Amino acid sequence: MAKVAQKVILSSSRDIPFDKLALSQSNVRRIKAGVPIEELAEDIARRGLLQGLNVRAVLDADGVETGMFEIPAGGRRFQALSLLVKQKRLAKTAPIPCIVRDAASEILAEDDSLAENMQRVALHPLDQFRAFQALREKGQGEEAIAAAFFVTPQIVKQRLKLASVAPALLDVYAEDGMTLEQLMAFTVTSDAALQVQVWDAIKNSWNKEPYAIRRMLTETSVRATDRRATFVGIEAYEAAGGTVARDLFQGDDGGWLEDPALLDRLAAEKLRAEAQALVSEGWKWIEVATDLPYGFSYGLRRVHGEAAAMSEAETVEHTKLLSEYRALDAEWSEADEIPEDIDARLAELAEAMEALEARPMIFDPAEIARAGVFVTFDRDGQLVIHRGFVRPEDEAPIQGPDAEDAAGQGGDPHLTGSEPTQSYVDGAGSAVITSGGQPFVTTSEDDDDGVLKPLSERLVMELTAHRTLALREAVGRSPDVALTLLLLKLVTDTFRSSSATGSCLEASVRHVYMAAQAPELKDSAVAEAIDARHAAWEAELPLGDDTALWERLSTLDQASRLALLAHCLSFGVNALHERVNPYGAGISASGLTRRMKHADMLAKAVDLDMVEAGWEPTAETYLSRVPKARIIEAVREAKGEGAAQLIDHLKKGDMAVEAERLLKGTGWLPEVLRRADLVALQGETLEGQGDEDGIAPEEEDMSSDTVDLPAFLVADLPDDLAQMIAAE
């Protein structure tokens, strides 16, 4: 006969006055954990008691109910109710919903307390995300949700952001197919299709680290710290319809701008607007560019203006600021530590004085009429205006005696700034040659009407040939004059290249423009050093007057003359590798070999160190632009075979990033940047090295070095194995 299942009988429920309840000693919860009692009390006050208390009647010594009830399960709720009673927000006799367990039950009170805490299942995080989303969809704002659940609005935003990830990825997360950290990484973009695409690309890969997901999702975006974004402004970009992807779970430096094309258009429009504001100044031309290359002013003459004087009010204000600055500086100069408010005030005073000292430049109106302006922005996104550059074709012709002298001696028209000499035949059949902008006609000896006419071109050439030879002999025995002459020509080439074609010395520095260059070259330390040195000489030399320039060069001391000579010659250094042209145009193979050999000799002579010059192997400058084999070889040369083996299994993008980290600070250089003399010396040293046991130096170093392994390379390895690999 089949056994009949026993019917389940549930405990009854009833309302019991609060003052008839007491916390049982059988409650197993002893340690405070979870939501604080204060927050739970506020939640009960707002929405009421969602779950009744589990109670048992208190019996006296004879087993008779006393009218009091103890609470083995629900102690935290009881404590929250007690707090509300204490705050007089709940009456002492308020009825409390309770489940009343039979005092004679075989189930122990501790059993009930333990079961209530252990049998409940915590809400899956995804359910919480979706619940927050449902609350917002039904009209609750982020602030209201945060207040209701005693969390910050930022946490609500994070949960809502997680709930907005592509549904397909949320399903993967619900099935434990990805971690919460990975799901967080997908929130950096709102493009659901891109999220799914990236997950499909990496889900079977060994590297599914959150940082890799973020990198893949933002590789086509622009950092908010990019100079273009700083120049345009995030607000202007968003107002134009651009979107910004932000990472709510870790620092993102302002996020990523997801529409680079829009950003470039806004940057160009803002530059044009800035240029339009300069039109009223009267410049002949204005060039705008988001990125001016190094050497952008090559071939142009710089016009120098004078700083506008301060007004009387500005002078008084500057004096007042300077007095206060000096007083504070003197008062705190001997102190071990300057208070923050004093330090801030000193900074304010310095900034205010700098603003007054930054005077607008006043230019000659005649120069403005032929000169132009470059408008761009720097690496910090700040507007930069380069005023006063004259193109060769805009130079004014030289007037006065100098022009007449040049014309009478067959001078080069480029020296005078005139139009190129033109020959033509008039109606009478006589050849007319222009010189200094004025034509003259050659005639026969019989054609003499008593008018003083210019010398014939042939005669001028013969006479100046005699003068040239005499000058050569004189300069050859005058070294000091020769150095001044060379400096005059080189300074003209370097600082006034628009007029450099006219000179009596056939020696020159040809500025070498680097057509292939990394974007950061113009902002490098060496570029800044050259620009600073150039500006210092430019400010010291009277470049607008050749006579004054000759006198200045003649009076320089020998050290200054040699320093100026070195500066001018430096602009002609050409150590560029160029494509060989076998058909004659450009450089030949033998010429390129000779150039590189000369460059090596020069590098040795000046003790060139490319590491000190600021070059380092990064993913952008080198590693991502060479094959994987070269990346591995670079790490092997710098850090040893063990380090190379750590990255040889990575994909190229990850390998380049990791190699950049490993190579940082090692001083490693690619072959083309190494000095030939040091490479040869190192080769000889290594040939003869080795300790008594025959261990090569690099092997000995490898045995003592410990490679700093990134977390993702050793995350799944036992500690001893990870240490073994690191030591290897």
Side-chain angles (χ1 to χ4, degrees):
M1 184 176 176
K3 185 176 181 181
V4 180
Q6 186 177 3
K7 292 183 179 180
V8 176
I9 301 175
L10 301 178
S11 299
S12 61
S13 62
R14 74 187 208 198
D15 292 343
I16 300 176
F18 175 80
D19 58 0
K20 299 298 183 182
L21 300 173
L23 190 62
S24 173
Q25 294 301 313
S26 300
N27 194 304
V28 298
R29 186 185 291 274
R30 296 285 190 270
I31 300 172
K32 294 182 179 180
V35 179
I37 295 299
E38 292 77 10
E39 291 185 9
L40 181 57
E42 291 298 326
D43 189 72
I44 292 174
R46 174 177 177 268
R47 72 179 83 249
L49 195 62
L50 296 179
Q51 183 180 353
L53 308 181
N54 186 297
V55 303
R56 296 185 181 217
V58 178
L59 307 178
D60 60 14
D62 298 327
V64 178
E65 293 186 6
T66 62
M68 293 294 295
F69 296 84
E70 61 179 0
I71 308 169
R76 295 184 72 253
R77 278 161 279 158
F78 176 73
Q79 291 176 344
L81 293 169
S82 299
L83 181 59
L84 293 174
V85 170
K86 183 178 180 180
Q87 295 173 346
K88 300 188 183 304
R89 300 167 68 186
L90 181 70
K92 291 183 179 181
T93 58
I96 307 299
C98 297
I99 302 295
V100 183
R101 168 76 77 176
D102 186 357
S105 173
E106 296 179 356
I107 304 298
L108 298 176
E110 289 83 357
D111 195 341
D112 283 346
S113 179
L114 184 61
E116 183 182 77
N117 288 282
M118 291 190 63
Q119 294 297 334
R120 64 182 178 182
V121 177
L123 192 67
H124 191 282
L126 182 56
D127 290 328
Q128 183 189 121
F129 309 157
R130 287 170 170 165
F132 277 15
Q133 189 177 46
L135 290 174
R136 189 176 63 173
E137 290 173 353
K138 292 182 178 181
Q140 276 194 267
E142 294 171 0
E143 297 286 344
I145 297 173
F149 293 95
F150 305 99
V151 295
T152 64
Q154 176 69 8
I155 290 178
V156 175
K157 290 179 180 179
Q158 291 174 340
R159 301 300 184 264
L160 293 172
K161 191 74 172 177
L162 288 166
S164 67
V165 173
L169 301 189
L170 292 179
D171 292 341
V172 174
Y173 173 61
E175 298 296 328
D176 296 328
M178 72 169 66
T179 66
L180 179 58
E181 288 73 20
Q182 290 169 330
L183 185 67
M184 291 175 181
F186 280 104
T187 65
V188 299
T189 180
S190 56
D191 189 340
L194 179 59
Q195 293 171 351
V196 174
Q197 180 182 349
V198 169
W199 177 250
D200 289 341
I202 68 169
K203 64 182 179 182
N204 296 321
S205 169
W206 65 270
N207 184 12
K208 295 190 284 288
E209 294 294 323
Y211 78 86
I213 295 172
R214 288 185 176 91
R215 185 175 66 240
M216 294 177 70
L217 290 170
T218 59
E219 60 186 358
T220 59
S221 302
V222 176
R223 277 279 190 185
T225 53
D226 185 274
R227 64 191 191 92
R228 292 169 293 172
T230 305
F231 178 67
V232 171
I234 301 298
E235 296 79 7
Y237 167 79
E238 290 182 317
T243 57
V244 180
R246 290 186 170 89
D247 193 339
L248 297 179
F249 299 94
Q250 64 178 29
D252 60 5
D253 294 326
W256 297 265
L257 281 65
E258 296 186 301
D259 194 342
L262 173 62
L263 179 63
D264 288 335
R265 178 172 65 81
L266 293 175
E269 290 176 354
K270 186 173 181 179
L271 279 176
R272 281 196 293 270
E274 297 290 352
Q276 189 64 36
L278 299 174
V279 171
S280 61
E281 295 183 13
W283 301 100
K284 183 172 184 178
W285 54 267
I286 300 174
E287 178 77 18
V288 299
T290 57
D291 192 13
L292 289 175
Y294 176 70
F296 68 91
S297 61
Y298 170 70
L300 307 181
R301 176 172 64 86
R302 183 72 183 268
V303 176
H304 294 280
E306 295 183 0
M310 290 186 188
S311 66
E312 184 176 349
E314 288 174 331
T315 303
V316 171
E317 178 66 17
H318 186 274
T319 303
K320 179 181 176 182
L321 293 171
L322 182 60
S323 299
E324 183 181 353
Y325 185 91
R326 287 176 175 173
L328 286 174
D329 186 54
E331 180 181 352
W332 294 95
S333 59
E334 302 297 330
D336 294 334
E337 186 175 352
I338 301 177
E340 290 185 6
D341 58 334
I342 299 299
D343 190 47
R345 180 55 181 164
L346 286 171
E348 290 175 3
L349 292 170
E351 186 177 349
M353 286 189 291
E354 288 176 4
L356 288 172
E357 292 164 0
R359 311 304 301 159
M361 302 301 293
I362 299 176
F363 297 90
D364 183 351
E367 292 282 33
I368 291 179
R370 68 173 64 95
V373 181
F374 291 99
V375 181
T376 185
F377 50 91
D378 60 19
R379 58 184 171 184
D380 296 323
Q382 301 301 312
L383 179 68
V384 176
I385 300 175
H386 300 288
R387 289 179 171 86
F389 290 90
V390 181
R391 292 169 174 165
E393 60 269 25
D394 296 330
E395 290 286 6
I398 297 177
Q399 304 295 331
D402 290 342
E404 294 175 2
D405 185 59
Q409 299 188 21
D412 190 334
H414 294 291
L415 181 63
T416 66
S418 66
E419 292 294 325
T421 302
Q422 300 181 11
S423 299
Y424 61 93
V425 179
D426 64 7
S430 299
V432 178
I433 302 174
T434 60
S435 178
Q438 300 297 323
F440 60 87
V441 182
T442 59
T443 61
S444 65
E445 294 180 0
D446 296 334
D447 188 14
D448 189 356
D449 55 4
V451 178
L452 187 62
K453 298 180 179 179
L455 298 176
S456 69
E457 183 181 19
R458 175 71 180 181
L459 181 57
V460 170
M461 291 174 66
E462 291 178 0
L463 294 176
T464 54
H466 280 281
R467 186 168 184 259
T468 299
L469 197 60
L471 282 173
R472 287 181 181 177
E473 191 281 329
V475 170
R477 52 183 165 79
S478 306
D480 196 56
V481 174
L483 179 56
T484 303
L485 176 62
L486 178 61
L487 275 175
L488 178 68
K489 181 59 172 68
L490 298 186
V491 167
T492 302
D493 288 343
T494 304
F495 295 93
R496 293 169 53 199
S497 51
S498 59
S499 303
T501 53
S503 175
C504 69
L505 179 64
E506 292 297 327
S508 64
V509 170
R510 182 175 66 85
H511 286 230
V512 180
Y513 180 73
M514 290 158 280
Q517 57 177 270
E520 66 273 8
L521 182 61
K522 66 179 182 301
D523 296 323
S524 64
V526 289
E528 292 176 352
I530 292 174
D531 291 343
R533 188 172 63 224
H534 192 80
W537 278 116
E538 194 172 25
E540 183 176 343
L541 299 173
L543 299 172
D545 186 338
D546 285 342
T547 302
L549 179 59
W550 177 277
E551 294 176 357
R552 182 73 182 98
L553 295 175
S554 302
T555 57
L556 287 175
D557 61 78
Q558 195 71 358
S560 298
R561 285 154 64 89
L562 292 176
L564 179 57
L565 175 65
H567 175 69
C568 295
L569 283 177
S570 70
F571 283 86
V573 173
N574 185 357
L576 295 172
H577 183 279
E578 298 180 43
R579 184 173 298 172
V580 172
N581 191 332
Y583 302 105
I587 195 167
S588 64
S590 60
L592 182 61
T593 301
R594 187 174 180 221
R595 176 190 290 178
M596 294 296 104
K597 183 178 180 181
H598 282 191
D600 286 337
M601 293 190 300
L602 185 58
K604 179 181 178 181
V606 300
D607 195 21
L608 180 66
D609 187 336
M610 287 302 297
V611 176
E612 290 184 0
W615 192 91
E616 61 179 352
T618 66
E620 183 178 359
T621 61
Y622 180 78
L623 297 168
S624 64
R625 302 168 66 181
V626 297
K628 292 174 66 174
R630 280 198 173 271
I631 301 176
I632 295 172
E633 182 61 23
V635 174
R636 181 181 292 113
E637 290 180 356
K639 301 288 285 187
E641 182 63 34
Q645 291 177 2
L646 290 176
I647 66 170
D648 60 5
H649 62 287
L650 300 179
K651 291 185 178 180
K652 184 176 177 179
D654 296 327
M655 181 183 291
V657 173
E658 184 57 22
E660 177 181 338
R661 186 185 71 83
L662 291 171
L663 292 176
K664 189 168 186 64
T666 63
W668 180 88
L669 295 170
E671 297 91 333
V672 71
L673 296 183
R674 299 174 187 173
R675 277 174 47 188
D677 59 310
L678 295 183
V679 172
L681 181 62
Q682 290 170 357
E684 293 174 4
T685 303
L686 291 175
E687 248 180 60
Q689 278 186 349
D691 61 14
E692 296 179 357
D693 298 325
I695 300 176
E698 61 269 24
E699 294 174 358
E700 187 174 25
D701 289 344
M702 277 304 302
S703 66
S704 61
D705 287 349
T706 299
V707 180
D708 183 17
L709 299 178
F712 73 89
L713 289 177
V714 298
D716 299 327
L717 297 178
D719 291 343
D720 56 346
L721 182 56
Q723 294 168 3
M724 186 184 304
I725 294 176
E728 185 183 8

